[in-house]
Amino acid sequence: MTVAAERPMRLVEHFEHGLDAPICLTWELTYACNLACVHCLSSSGRRDPRELTTGQAERVIDELQAMQVFYVNIGGGEPTIRPDFWHLLDYAVAHNVGVKFSTNGARITPERARQLAVTDYVDVQVSLDGATAEINDRVRGAGSYATALRALDNLAAAGFENAKVSVVLTRENADQLDDFKALAESRGATLRLTRLRPSGRGADVWDDLHPTMQQQRIVYEWLLAHGESVLTGDSFFHLAGFGESLPGLNLCGAGRVVCLIDPVGDVYACPFAIHDTFLAGNVLTDGGFARVWRESSLFADLRAPQSSGACTQCAHYDGCRGGCMAAKFFTGLPLDGPDPECVQGYSEARLAADRTIPAASQDHSKSGSSHAPVFVPLGVGPAAPPARSCSEHPLEGFHPHVDHQGVARG
């Protein structure tokens, strides 16, 4: 009798079962922010007085080095607001942990740009949500467009190579993709697109801001044409329901290959799901980050075989994998159901039915501030301030090596 050779495990299957360390993690260093973006995932604005001290943050970096995490995606809030931000950046680089940080650009002065240009293993992502000031400043706040362009110009003048122009795709900027790309390339930068998620303050504007079905199709075709020169961090794998899969892993990596550490040391399964439901532990009270990553019961559940309900019967399931867990959760849809932006329309009936939208676990918005977000869709009335960008999926740029035994190595 012939014994069939055991089928080698595909790379995506390695990821589904989880890795010994995250490929990359997102770390929100502070909730403090000088802006108040209407779509901010973490509802940032005010600093949490419990945020990790410099010493505690250094110990997290030491753990990441020991775990061989090759980069950390730092966000906020506005991370550069922390007085020790530049120290922590240098500390991480000195300990072989690369840093990608997202910023609105307010503190990227010519001097800081020159410092960054001579620092190894650092990537800067400047947030911009409109290719014109009219569109951008309605979402991110008056003057934020000029601030972002000044930061990009400072980086270019300093010789910093390949900065990122980081765009959250919305209904109002979806027709500006060519303009965004040209804007980035004119400054020696790369365009990076991420998906709008209905979490944090984004939950309040999602109905008005998420792209229409027609726009989703246009974006999908544009990404097929430009995907090799535009970064997406696997934000748009739900669009695979249109047909061909986009470049990238096309997998929800929550708790398997990615996660988030928040300013107080809480560890969440996903950068887009800052909610008690997805809280895995705390680096201070649960034995450190490595222990949370490897022993959390939540992460163990996420790494177990998952059911995607009726989605598994869909001809497009292998491409879209049922879509984004966070998008489903924050729109009140079941996690084993279709993505709220399912391009085959399978979520429409559920969205039209009665749903329970989960209440936010936390809100750091500056209540009562004259800069508090008040969003009015284009063509409805006068624009109102606010702004802040949110991080992407940290699988961006990962090119794993698979050894001769089929094991994925970072």
Side-chain angles (χ1 to χ4, degrees):
M1 180 178 67
T2 302
V3 179
E6 185 175 340
R7 179 182 66 84
M9 187 178 288
R10 296 181 301 157
L11 184 60
V12 69
E13 292 172 320
H14 284 289
F15 288 167
E16 285 179 324
H17 288 86
L19 303 179
D20 286 341
I23 290 172
C24 164
L25 62 89
T26 296
W27 188 355
E28 309 286 25
L29 276 183
T30 184
Y31 286 130
C33 193
N34 57 312
L35 298 181
C37 289
V38 298
H39 57 18
C40 180
L41 290 169
S42 56
S43 298
S44 288
R46 294 176 288 109
R47 173 184 174 272
D48 191 313
R50 303 168 299 155
E51 69 184 31
L52 300 180
T53 66
T54 301
Q56 290 167 338
E58 287 175 347
R59 286 193 287 278
V60 171
I61 293 169
D62 292 341
E63 276 202 272
L64 301 183
Q65 180 185 23
M67 296 173 72
Q68 297 184 316
V69 173
F70 65 91
Y71 78 82
V72 58
N73 188 34
I74 290 180
E78 171 53 43
T80 63
I81 284 179
R82 267 190 70 132
D84 60 358
F85 170 75
W86 302 102
H87 164 75
L88 291 175
L89 183 151
D90 289 339
Y91 188 89
V93 170
H95 287 74
N96 303 313
V97 179
V99 173
K100 294 186 177 186
F101 72 93
S102 298
T103 177
N104 56 46
R107 298 197 173 186
I108 306 299
T109 62
E111 294 75 22
R112 287 298 186 192
R114 287 193 289 271
Q115 175 188 345
L116 290 165
V118 296
T119 304
D120 291 332
Y121 309 118
V122 173
D123 194 13
V124 184
Q125 302 173 154
V126 179
S127 299
L128 196 69
D129 290 327
T132 60
E134 177 191 13
I135 299 297
N136 178 84
D137 290 6
R138 295 181 65 259
V139 175
R140 304 187 54 77
S144 58
Y145 180 81
T147 298
L149 292 194
R150 183 168 58 248
L152 289 165
D153 289 339
N154 288 342
L155 290 166
F160 185 93
E161 296 182 355
N162 200 26
K164 307 299 184 293
V165 176
S166 185
V167 177
V168 177
L169 190 70
T170 70
R171 186 171 302 181
E172 299 195 349
N173 65 23
D175 63 348
Q176 296 185 314
L177 296 179
D178 288 331
D179 295 332
F180 279 125
K181 193 168 186 292
L183 184 153
E185 290 175 349
S186 70
R187 291 164 172 82
T190 298
L191 176 60
R192 173 178 147 252
L193 297 176
T194 62
R195 183 182 176 188
L196 175 71
R197 261 74 171 199
S199 54
R201 286 196 294 267
D204 299 326
V205 296
W206 189 76
D207 287 341
D208 291 323
L209 273 183
H210 78 91
T212 65
M213 185 67 76
Q214 181 181 12
Q215 288 176 322
Q216 299 259 32
R217 167 64 80 170
I218 292 171
V219 169
Y220 169 71
E221 293 176 352
W222 191 89
L223 287 173
L224 284 179
H226 299 279
E228 297 302 323
S229 60
V230 174
L231 303 174
T232 63
D234 290 296
S235 282
F236 301 102
F237 62 91
H238 70 293
L239 297 182
F242 279 129
E244 181 182 348
S245 293
L246 296 168
L249 181 61
N250 293 314
L251 168 73
C252 172
R256 300 178 177 111
V257 295
V258 301
C259 67
L260 173 136
I261 302 175
D262 85 346
V264 302
D266 284 337
V267 181
Y268 294 88
C270 172
F272 309 119
I274 304 175
H275 190 276
D276 289 346
T277 301
F278 303 104
L279 177 61
N282 182 280
V283 300
L284 300 182
T285 60
D286 293 312
F289 175 72
R291 185 169 182 179
V292 173
W293 175 259
R294 291 167 181 164
E295 299 181 17
S296 160
S297 59
L298 172 65
F299 287 170
D301 289 343
L302 289 171
R303 294 163 190 167
Q306 301 291 309
S307 167
S308 292
C311 281
T312 56
Q313 306 303 314
C314 176
H316 301 283
Y317 176 73
D318 283 345
C320 80
R321 312 289 294 184
C324 173
M325 176 185 76
K328 288 186 267 191
F329 177 79
F330 287 111
T331 50
L333 298 182
L335 298 186
D336 64 351
D339 188 288
E341 293 184 282
C342 170
V343 297
Q344 292 296 315
Y346 294 131
S347 61
E348 292 176 1
R350 290 179 182 268
L351 289 171
D354 290 337
R355 290 171 287 131
T356 301
I357 306 296
S361 295
Q362 51 187 289
D363 190 344
H364 306 278
S365 301
K366 296 176 181 176
S367 57
S369 166
S370 61
H371 298 291
V374 181
F375 181 75
V376 180
L378 270 180
V380 177
R388 205 282 325 169
S389 124
C390 308
S391 303
E392 57 146 357
H393 191 302
L395 284 174
E396 170 202 309
F398 177 64
H399 301 291
H401 165 68
V402 180
D403 68 20
H404 66 281
Q405 295 179 317
V407 177
R409 308 290 185 189

